[in-house]
């Protein structure tokens, strides 16, 4: 992993390698009923710990709302895609296990590469202020299902995950000291987390795995962080525009296949993509993206190429 650099030093110096910053998010309208109770909320929060441990991706910040998650990640594209896919898979498995079906939940997370410094600064704070901006009566540093409490704080601050429902401070315990069935309940899966990680009140404490230093290096000072926490509607509009652009358009599969066939016939004189070379599949994907702004997930299905590979060449 490369050295920490601040936006003043130049974001481009970091992204010259294979690792980049990514904004991972889902569409709340699509993922409605993602969370229906407190236990599901804790499980969705703890899944970030599982995905970080399994993939090694650097998680700088995150928050989980009733309808969708947000996170700022650092890593190479393939590994961040593994993180995203694992979070989606574990989430849907948990919903099916607890509710008996998918219950109409659609969780398709997007991975948006961050290529400029201002967007990085806005994204970092956006990922921890969503609950407050959506009208919940809570400040980011008190929100249990986000990491806002971790940054630019002194060591004597008691983190919100250590406070019981009746207001008393609780002592964290090591995961390795819990019974195996309790460890599995905590993670919602058979994946075992490191035994020295700490848990409290049903939360895998985010300080175990959140890359606090890298997040703080983005802002450099308390005052810079404060300023971006207070970002206004204009900043949000730009974030919403970029997120909508990254999601693309999802249309009915039958219509998507028809558009793909038309583009394939125009470009290569073929009705099927079956015998196209990889370079031609990428060209076809670029054409479909430019003309119809199809989502990466749908493009991957149409041209039969891995989504991570498409994202390298199709913008």
């Amino acid at each position: 992993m490369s050295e920490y650099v601040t936006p003043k030093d130049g974001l481009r110096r970091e992204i010259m390698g294979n690792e980049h910053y990514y904004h991972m998010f889902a569409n709340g309208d699509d993922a409605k009923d993602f969370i229906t109770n407190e236990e599901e909320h804790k499980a969705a929060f703890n899944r970030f710990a599982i995905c970080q441990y399994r993939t090694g991706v650097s998680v700088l910040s995150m928050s989980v709302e009733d309808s969708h998650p947000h996170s700022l990640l650092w890593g190479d594209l393939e590994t961040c895609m593994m993180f995203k896919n694992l979070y989606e898979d574990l989430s849907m498995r948990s919903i099916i296990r607890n509710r008996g079906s998918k219950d109409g939940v659609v969780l398709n997370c997007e991975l948006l590469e961050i290529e400029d410094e201002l967007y990085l600064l806005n994204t970092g704070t956006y990922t921890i202020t969503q609950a407050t901006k959506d009208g919940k009566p809570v400040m980011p540093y008190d929100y249990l299902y986000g990491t806002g409490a971790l940054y630019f704080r002194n060591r004597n601050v008691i983190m919100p995950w250590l406070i019981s429902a009746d207001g008393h401070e609780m002592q964290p315990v090591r995961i390795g000291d819990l019974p195996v069935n309790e460890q599995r309940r905590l993670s919602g899966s058979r994946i075992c987390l490191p035994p020295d990680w700490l848990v409290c009140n049903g939360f895998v404490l985010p300080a175990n795995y959140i890359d606090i230093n890298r997040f703080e290096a983005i802002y450099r000072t308390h005052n810079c962080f404060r300023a971006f926490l207070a970002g206004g509607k204009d900043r949000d509009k730009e974030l919403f525009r970029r997120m909508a652009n990254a999601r693309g358009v999802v249309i009915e599969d039958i219509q998507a296949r028809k558009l793909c066939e038309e583009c394939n016939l125009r470009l290569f004189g073929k009705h099927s993509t079956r015998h196209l070379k990889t370079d031609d599949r990428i060209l076809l994907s670029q054409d479909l993206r430019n003309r119809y702004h199809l989502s990466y997930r749908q493009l991957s299905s149409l041209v039969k190429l891995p989504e991570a590979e498409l994202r390298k060449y199709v913008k």
Side-chain angles (χ1 to χ4, degrees):
M1 189 171 292
S2 65
E3 61 179 315
Y4 296 140
V5 300
T6 67
K8 185 176 180 181
D9 296 326
L11 178 63
R12 286 181 295 276
R13 186 151 64 89
E14 275 208 315
I15 65 175
M16 286 176 65
N18 292 325
E19 295 174 314
H20 299 258
Y21 291 103
Y22 292 95
H23 181 192
M24 190 189 92
F25 60 93
N27 188 344
D29 293 333
D30 292 340
K32 58 185 178 180
D33 295 327
F34 172 50
I35 291 169
T36 60
N37 56 52
E38 183 181 3
E39 287 305 308
E40 287 186 350
H41 219 155
K42 286 184 178 180
F45 182 88
N46 290 340
R47 277 195 288 277
F48 274 91
I50 299 168
C51 294
Q52 191 286 323
Y53 177 64
R54 286 296 297 268
T55 65
V57 165
S58 180
V59 182
L60 282 71
S61 61
M62 61 90 163
S63 64
V64 180
E65 289 207 77
D66 299 350
S67 59
H68 63 291
H70 275 276
S71 184
L72 177 60
L73 308 177
W74 165 260
D76 62 76
L77 176 59
E78 287 79 5
T79 311
C80 288
M81 284 293 297
M82 287 173 55
F83 184 103
K84 178 187 83 73
N85 293 338
L86 181 59
Y87 191 89
E88 292 172 342
D89 182 59
L90 291 177
S91 296
M92 296 311 301
R93 286 174 181 267
S94 177
I95 289 171
I96 293 170
R97 183 169 58 250
N98 294 326
R99 305 184 202 174
S101 70
K102 292 183 178 180
D103 198 25
V105 176
V106 176
L107 184 66
N108 292 331
C109 292
E110 181 55 52
L111 202 62
L112 174 56
E113 182 180 332
I114 299 172
E115 298 179 317
D116 65 81
E117 296 155 9
L118 182 59
Y119 188 57
L120 174 62
L121 288 158
N122 284 326
T123 301
T125 51
Y126 180 82
T127 58
I128 60 175
T129 57
Q130 270 300 282
T132 303
K133 289 189 174 185
D134 284 351
K136 290 184 173 64
V138 62
M139 295 301 289
Y141 45 76
D142 289 324
Y143 185 54
L144 282 173
Y145 307 107
T147 58
L150 296 175
Y151 315 109
F152 295 98
R153 311 297 297 276
N154 67 57
R155 295 182 180 180
N156 296 324
V157 173
I158 300 173
M159 294 289 109
W161 308 284
L162 304 183
I163 306 299
S164 66
D166 57 5
H168 292 93
E169 183 179 357
M170 303 172 67
Q171 292 300 314
V173 298
R174 296 172 69 256
I175 287 181
D177 293 336
L178 297 174
V180 173
N181 62 335
E182 178 65 15
Q183 293 183 38
R184 289 178 177 174
R185 189 195 67 79
L186 192 68
S187 69
S189 71
R190 293 181 174 273
I191 298 174
C192 295
L193 293 171
D196 58 335
W197 280 16
L198 298 178
V199 301
C200 189
N201 199 22
F203 292 96
V204 179
L205 298 183
N208 291 306
Y209 63 92
I210 294 294
D211 196 343
I212 300 171
N213 290 335
R214 181 175 287 277
F215 183 93
E216 291 183 346
I218 292 172
Y219 298 91
R220 294 180 291 130
T221 67
H222 291 68
N223 195 41
C224 179
F225 181 54
R226 176 203 59 78
F228 279 91
L229 276 176
K233 292 183 179 179
D234 288 343
R235 292 181 186 175
D236 285 349
K237 285 180 182 178
E238 177 61 15
L239 283 165
F240 297 154
R241 184 191 68 78
R242 295 201 188 198
M243 286 190 288
N245 184 64
R247 279 197 302 267
V249 177
V250 178
I251 63 177
E252 293 293 331
D253 288 343
I254 293 177
Q255 179 64 16
R257 285 195 291 270
K258 182 179 178 181
L259 293 175
C260 182
E261 181 177 329
E262 291 174 355
C263 289
N264 193 32
L265 188 62
R266 175 171 46 80
L267 291 173
F268 307 111
K270 298 179 180 179
H271 290 278
S272 172
T273 62
R274 184 176 305 172
H275 301 297
L276 289 183
K277 297 178 180 179
T278 299
D279 289 348
D280 291 339
R281 292 172 191 264
I282 291 173
L283 287 174
L284 177 59
S285 299
Q286 291 171 337
D287 191 63
L288 287 166
R289 179 76 173 177
N290 291 335
R291 288 175 178 272
Y292 308 109
H293 203 58
L294 298 185
S295 71
Y296 289 106
R297 188 184 297 268
Q298 199 158 38
L299 287 174
S300 175
S301 176
L302 290 170
V303 305
K304 303 297 188 294
L305 284 177
E307 186 177 337
E309 195 67 19
L310 283 179
R311 286 173 180 269
K312 295 178 183 178
Y313 306 103
V314 181
K315 300 297 182 182

